[in-house]
Amino acid sequence: MVLFQRYLLRNLVLQGRRHLGLPRPGKESSTPAWASDKARSPPSRSGSLGYSTSSGIAGVKERTLIAVKPDGVQRRLVGQIVQRFEQRGFRLVGLKMLKASDDLLSQHYHDLSKKPFYPNLLRYMSSGPVVVMVWEGHNVVRTSRMMVGNTNPAEAHAGTIRGDFSIHISRNVVHASDSVEGAQREIQLWFSRKELTDWDCCDHSSTYQV
Ligand code: UDP
Ligand code: MG
């Protein structure tokens, strides 16, 4: 009888621990669940070219192209712009400085070629080096557009990059892809596959629960 009571009591305690999500006694892990490898490493879902697609878990592998334009480089804003994406929690997977050719710029801005400002835009973008980057993370395309702010700095909110560092649409400091498809096209235009580095961010589990 006493044995049966003990058996019932033990089962009740175990059920209670299970209900609270606690491990069975003697099975405690030294790594908390939120920091475990399972929680940290999403499966790799790179596309055939090695560029991530929006199909990653909850878009964690989504990528975008960010460029510090020649005015931003001249005004020594590269560090502050990189810092904003790092501190937000995104992962840098590619970065380089170059003087963009007319050919590259005309492909990059092909959809604006009929706009009256197009010749000035190309002149501006080829006036000095640019720093181009690929950033990765959940919803990075949309979030980075919000971080960059309105195309016209006069309309850009304070706290956005354009709202904090620029005043005129012809010198708006930074570029950000405007869609996931556009980002994939731009990344392939500016970067070769081997220039992009896939790496594990050690604080992944502090940024995501996937
Ligand atoms: N631009 C300009 N005058 C305009 C509109 C755009 O000089 O009236 C330039 C500006 O540098 C802008 C770029 O063209 O960033 C590309 O324009 P888009 O509409 O794609 O804006 P974005 O995506 O950069 O916000
Ligand atoms: Mg655009």
Side-chain angles (χ1 to χ4, degrees):
M1 186 65 185
V2 175
L3 274 178
F4 183 64
Q5 278 174 336
R6 271 201 201 147
Y7 171 79
L8 275 182
L9 191 65
R10 185 169 177 275
N11 271 339
L12 273 175
V13 170
L14 278 178
Q15 269 176 23
R17 289 183 72 92
R18 226 177 288 138
H19 183 68
L20 292 170
L22 296 171
R24 283 161 65 99
K27 295 237 169 181
E28 275 87 352
S29 151
S30 57
T31 315
W34 60 268
S36 74
D37 275 344
K38 238 188 215 160
R40 204 172 65 77
S41 308
S44 173
R45 300 221 178 164
S46 294
S48 56
L49 279 168
Y51 303 112
S52 294
T53 67
S54 57
S55 61
I57 293 178
V60 164
K61 301 286 276 183
E62 185 174 302
R63 289 180 175 181
T64 197
L65 186 96
I66 302 294
V68 183
K69 295 178 173 182
D71 51 332
V73 175
Q74 292 291 338
R75 292 172 54 202
R76 303 176 188 86
L77 297 174
V78 174
Q80 292 190 69
I81 292 170
V82 169
Q83 187 184 16
R84 289 190 178 216
F85 289 90
E86 280 197 314
Q87 73 186 20
R88 186 74 190 240
F90 292 121
R91 193 161 65 117
L92 181 64
V93 294
L95 179 145
K96 64 181 175 184
M97 177 186 241
L98 72 156
K99 231 173 150 245
S101 66
D102 283 348
D103 183 44
L104 177 57
L105 290 171
S106 57
Q107 287 186 65
H108 178 79
Y109 284 126
H110 75 102
D111 57 331
L112 300 176
S113 60
K114 300 278 180 294
K115 301 281 184 191
F117 58 83
Y118 179 76
N120 279 339
L121 175 60
L122 253 55
R123 215 168 298 131
Y124 157 47
M125 289 297 293
S126 58
S127 66
V130 294
V131 171
V132 271
M133 300 168 259
V134 176
W135 289 91
E136 183 180 282
H138 173 66
N139 220 13
V140 67
V141 171
R142 190 158 172 268
T143 303
S144 59
R145 288 291 292 191
M146 285 162 60
M147 290 166 67
V148 161
N150 196 295
T151 304
N152 183 356
E155 306 288 329
H157 293 294
T160 63
I161 296 170
R162 287 167 173 166
D164 287 351
F165 297 124
S166 59
I167 50 177
H168 196 268
I169 195 165
S170 62
R171 298 289 183 271
N172 59 2
V173 170
V174 68
H175 165 82
S177 310
D178 66 4
S179 66
V180 172
E181 297 69 33
Q184 285 170 0
R185 186 184 72 80
E186 291 174 0
I187 290 168
Q188 292 180 52
L189 188 60
W190 287 85
F191 284 88
S192 68
R193 181 180 170 162
K194 67 175 173 22
E195 289 175 316
L196 301 178
T197 306
D198 216 355
W199 56 286
D200 280 334
C201 222
C202 64
D203 68 351
H204 183 94
S205 60
S206 303
T207 317
Y208 299 107
Q209 203 199 350
V210 288

